[in-house]
Structures are given as structure tokens and as C-alpha cells.
Amino acid sequence: MANTIHKSTAELRAVLSQRQNAASAKLAEKGKLTARARMDILFDEGTFVEVGAYVSRKTTELDTGADDSFEPVITGYGSVNGMLVFAFSQDFSRLSGALGEMHAKKICDIFDKAMRAEAPVIGVFDSAGAKVLEGVDALAGYGKIMAKYAQAMYIPKIAVISGPCGGSAAVIAKMSDIVIAAEKTGSLYMVPSSALTDKTLGTPARLASDGMCDLTAPDDASAVALAGKIVGYFGKTIETGDDLNRTVDVASIIGTDGYDVHDIINVVADNGSFTELQATHSAQMVIGLCTIGGKVTGVVANNPAVKNGIVCPCAIEKATDLINMCSYFDVPVLTLVDSCGVAEKDCVEEKQIEKKLASLACAYADCDSAKVTVVLGKAYGTTYTVFGSKSVGADIALALDSAKISALNPVKAVEFFGEVTDESKVDLTADEWAAKYATPLEAAKGGHIDDIIESCELRQRIAASFEMLSM
């Protein structure tokens, strides 16, 4: 025992290296990485600096502490594509990644440093739970980490679910701004699957479809690498080399019934820069991050290709989450509107859609980031008002000349005013009503739309608006 305690630093490092190699081989069979290997993937070569390397767990009568040179969590900082980033990673190869009081202290310490530097934190979760023999001390450790996450509201936090992440750890992970799950090895849950009837709950695919994670990646390594890419969006500018003034062919896209708004986003954003979040959850709403003229921008868009862009409670939550995140980190918000309106179903009322819309309106009104809204097509009633109109806080509101803006859906309007005597002519009468009363010109006359633009200049006008607002 004495020889173990009094090993030199060099000897400890040699032991650590030997154990890391053995652990790496063992985890590789399961498609997982050690914490050290994850840091090598995440950070630019040679830049990672470990912090708290010799902090060790408390020992118990069943835990001699002889292996304190190799703890279940690594913390540190370094450069990710030239950007300062702090990180921690749990290591399942050691005590199944069990978290104890001292491990929590290491994580809290790295958060203090990140908040002082106003730099992002990436946390990799891979643990079977608390170090049970530490009792309430371990539980208090979770609570202290939760408090740090709450205090770190204004620094970006990315969670990577590389392995099991349950109970209190799941709560902490969901306090992050973006959650990425490894499809092969990750799981996030409050109770283990053994206690559930539906075994898909907590799996990455189910997490994605339920909106519990923002992105998935095939395995541990690719999930960590994806976190490195995503954190770059919080650097505010990314050089893409795309021409800011290029015209775009939007007319051919929106001329198709039920067009896919991804096609609009991809021609407006810098080439290849759009990363969608929560893609398989409530697909009638599209959210994500991109760059426009090299400047990072959040995107909220109705998608007519899915249920005509109809708004439901889950879709509203997606939009609200994105806007709040952009507000925290001063990221501009682009809203693209084209929706038939709110879903008219009992389940929508049961899910308190009014409350969801109230939260969305508050998010737009409270967001201090630059906000530009473009009405691409249909914008009726509450949908028009709540989704980034000038009245709830948009700095610039534009509309294509093909847009239709009205207090009522034209079909409902002609029914309400009793203008239809022949049911077979409802659509024709509605079109005539829309041409007269739902034009963007009427909205522009009231100052609710700043300009009516040609579709080919959509990217130019959006970029110019954000450039002006950044002055």
C-alpha cells in the first residue's frame, strides 16, 4: 500500500497509460471510448490541458483507493478549431463511470473556469450512476453540478450521451443547450429500461423522435466529433467563402404545392452550413443553425411539406427552444413563415396549445438578438402574429409577393362571411377573397411588413438586414 501511495509522478503516469490502454481495448469491443480518447478526438492536437488530474474519490471499506491515478472523470480545456472550449468526460471503464463527491467537484471547478472565460462546455456522459457507498455525498454532488449548469445559463453547454445517462445525470444532461446521442451506445432515462414495458424508451432513436435529443451520431467517436462541429456555431462567425450577394432560385421551389422548406433554407444559408436540430420530432417545424454571410444564425421555419406546416404543441416547443437558446448567446434569428395555421384537434387543446403559444410569444418578445422574419406563403391569424411578426418583436419583417397574410384562413373567411352559396366553389371564392384581402401589400400599408421582395433576392435581403442590425 505504501509503495502505491508514494509513487512518483512519472510512475503514476506510466500506470495511467498502461491502464488506459487496457481500458481502451476493453471498451473498443463495445464500440465505446475512454475519456482520454474522447478528448483526443474533440480537441485540436496537442492543445488539451487536463485540470484536477490528481483529485481522487473518497474511499470506503470496500474501496481501498489504490487506483486513484485513474478516476472515472477527466476534466480540462483546450482548442476546438481554434476556439477555447472546456470539457469533462466520464469513463465507464473505471468503476462504471460512478460519480462521487470529488468527481462532482472536478466538474464544478471546470464550470467555474468556463464561466470566467465565457467559453462553452462540452460534457460527455457515460456512467452507471452515483457512487452508492458515498451515500448522500454523491447525491449532493449531482445537486452541485445542477446548480453550476443553472448558473452557467449564458455559456453554451453541449451534452454528448456516449453511454448510460440515467436519473440525476439525465436531468443534468437535459440542462444543456444541445444534446447529442451516440446511436450505438448511448441511452438517456429516468428509470432503467428493465423497469419499463416499452424498451425503446431512452434509446437514441426514440429520444430523437420525442425531441429529447437534438442530434444523433452513429457511434461514440462520431458523437464527440459532432459536438466539436456544433460548438463552432457559438463562435459567431465561420468563414465559408460563399458569395453574400448571390441570387437564389426560390420561385421554382415555392411554386410547388407542399414544397420542402429545407430547400429554401439551403439556398438562403451559406453552402452546406445548415445543421438541423430535432429533425425527426414534429417535422412540420424546422429549426437549426447555419451561417449567412459567415455569421451564425438560428432558423425557425414552418415546413409545408409536412402536414401543410400545421402548427402543433410540439412544433411550438421546438421553435421556442431555439429562440431562447439564440437569445442567451446573442445569435440572430431568421423566421420563415408558411403555415395553414393551428391544428384543429381535441388533442391539441388537451395539450394546452395556448400555453405553448404564449411561451413562444414571450420568447420572441424577450429575445434581444437580431430578428428577421420573412413570410414566404400563408400566414393566417394567430400563426402570423406569434411566429416572429413585428408586433411580437421582429426587427425586420419581409414578405414575398406571393405571400398571403390575413386575420382568417381565406376558406374560413368566405364561410364566416357567408360568401359561398355553392359548396363546389369554395376554393375559387377563397382564392378571390385572398387576392383582394390577404395580399402582403395590405399588411405593408399598415407598417406590419417592411418590404415586399422578389424571391430571387431573398438571400441578399436577409443578409443585408442582419448586417444592418449588427451595426
Side-chain angles (χ1 to χ4, degrees), residues 61-113:
E61 67 276 10
L62 298 179
D63 186 355
T64 64
D67 296 332
D68 283 348
S69 58
F70 185 12
E71 289 296 330
V73 64
I74 286 179
T75 60
Y77 63 91
S79 171
V80 177
N81 294 320
M83 179 180 176
L84 175 63
V85 174
F86 290 78
F88 68 86
S89 177
Q90 296 176 313
D91 197 322
F92 200 82
S93 70
R94 180 61 176 159
L95 300 175
S96 298
L99 185 135
E101 180 185 9
M102 297 308 292
H103 309 136
K105 184 178 184 302
K106 289 177 67 172
I107 294 172
C108 289
D109 179 62
I110 214 67
F111 263 90
D112 287 336
K113 290 178 171 58

Side-chain angles (χ1 to χ4, degrees), residues 128-142:
K131 192 167 185 290
V132 177
L133 294 175
E134 289 191 19
V136 178
D137 287 342
L139 299 181
Y142 279 121

Side-chain angles (χ1 to χ4, degrees), residues 10-335:
E11 289 174 321
L12 284 173
R13 286 176 176 168
V15 170
L16 175 61
S17 177
Q18 182 179 6
R19 288 177 179 153
Q20 286 284 352
N21 291 336
S24 180
K26 185 177 180 180
L27 288 176
E29 297 175 2
K30 300 178 181 180
K32 293 174 67 173
L33 302 172
T34 63
R36 181 72 57 179
R38 291 174 185 137
M39 297 301 183
D40 290 341
I41 291 172
L42 178 61
F43 289 100
D44 300 340
E45 186 176 357
T47 66
F48 176 66
V49 177
E50 186 173 357
V51 175
Y54 298 101
V55 173
S56 59
R57 67 193 181 281
K58 290 182 175 180
T59 59
T60 70
E61 67 276 10
L62 298 179
D63 186 355
T64 64
D67 296 332
D68 283 348
S69 58
F70 185 12
E71 289 296 330
V73 64
I74 286 179
T75 60
Y77 63 91
S79 171
V80 177
N81 294 320
M83 179 180 176
L84 175 63
V85 174
F86 290 78
F88 68 86
S89 177
Q90 296 176 313
D91 197 322
F92 200 82
S93 70
R94 180 61 176 159
L95 300 175
S96 298
L99 185 135
E101 180 185 9
M102 297 308 292
H103 309 136
K105 184 178 184 302
K106 289 177 67 172
I107 294 172
C108 289
D109 179 62
I110 214 67
F111 263 90
D112 287 336
K113 290 178 171 58
M115 286 188 281
R116 190 176 301 116
E118 297 182 351
V121 176
I122 296 174
V124 185
F125 293 80
D126 187 7
S127 170
K131 192 167 185 290
V132 177
L133 294 175
E134 289 191 19
V136 178
D137 287 342
L139 299 181
Y142 279 121
K144 290 176 181 177
I145 297 173
M146 291 176 191
K148 288 298 178 185
Y149 266 76
Q151 293 164 13
M153 180 183 296
Y154 295 105
I155 63 171
K157 300 170 291 298
I158 298 173
V160 180
I161 313 301
S162 286
C165 178
S168 295
V171 174
I172 293 169
K174 284 301 295 177
M175 294 176 76
S176 301
D177 302 293
I178 292 178
V179 178
I180 302 169
E183 295 169 6
K184 186 175 181 179
T185 56
S187 59
L188 187 145
Y189 50 87
M190 184 51 58
V191 294
S193 60
S194 59
L196 301 171
T197 302
D198 187 347
K199 302 304 180 183
T200 68
L201 291 169
T203 63
R206 184 61 180 271
L207 293 169
S209 65
D210 290 346
M212 289 291 287
C213 74
D214 298 284
L215 295 160
T216 62
D219 52 32
D220 191 353
S222 56
V224 173
L226 181 55
K229 173 190 174 183
I230 295 300
V231 79
Y233 283 112
F234 299 102
K236 301 299 176 66
T237 58
I238 300 174
E239 290 299 325
T240 65
D242 200 352
D243 181 5
L244 186 63
N245 292 310
R246 63 176 168 82
T247 57
V248 293
D249 181 13
V250 169
S252 64
I253 299 172
I254 63 174
T256 304
D257 288 338
Y259 69 87
D260 192 334
V261 79
H262 290 92
D263 296 333
I264 300 291
I265 296 170
N266 288 329
V267 298
V268 168
D270 295 339
N271 290 332
S273 70
F274 180 62
T275 296
E276 185 174 1
L277 304 177
Q278 301 184 36
T280 60
H281 175 58
S282 295
Q284 64 265 49
M285 180 67 67
V286 176
I287 65 169
L289 296 166
C290 71
T291 62
I292 299 177
K295 295 185 178 180
V296 177
T297 305
V299 178
V300 173
N302 305 121
N303 191 5
V306 181
K307 301 177 182 178
N308 290 319
I310 288 289
V311 175
C312 71
C314 292
I316 297 166
E317 286 183 336
K318 280 179 66 171
T320 303
D321 288 346
L322 191 283
I323 295 162
N324 284 334
M325 183 178 72
C326 290
S327 180
Y328 291 150
F329 310 127
D330 194 27
V331 173
V333 177
L334 170 64
T335 304

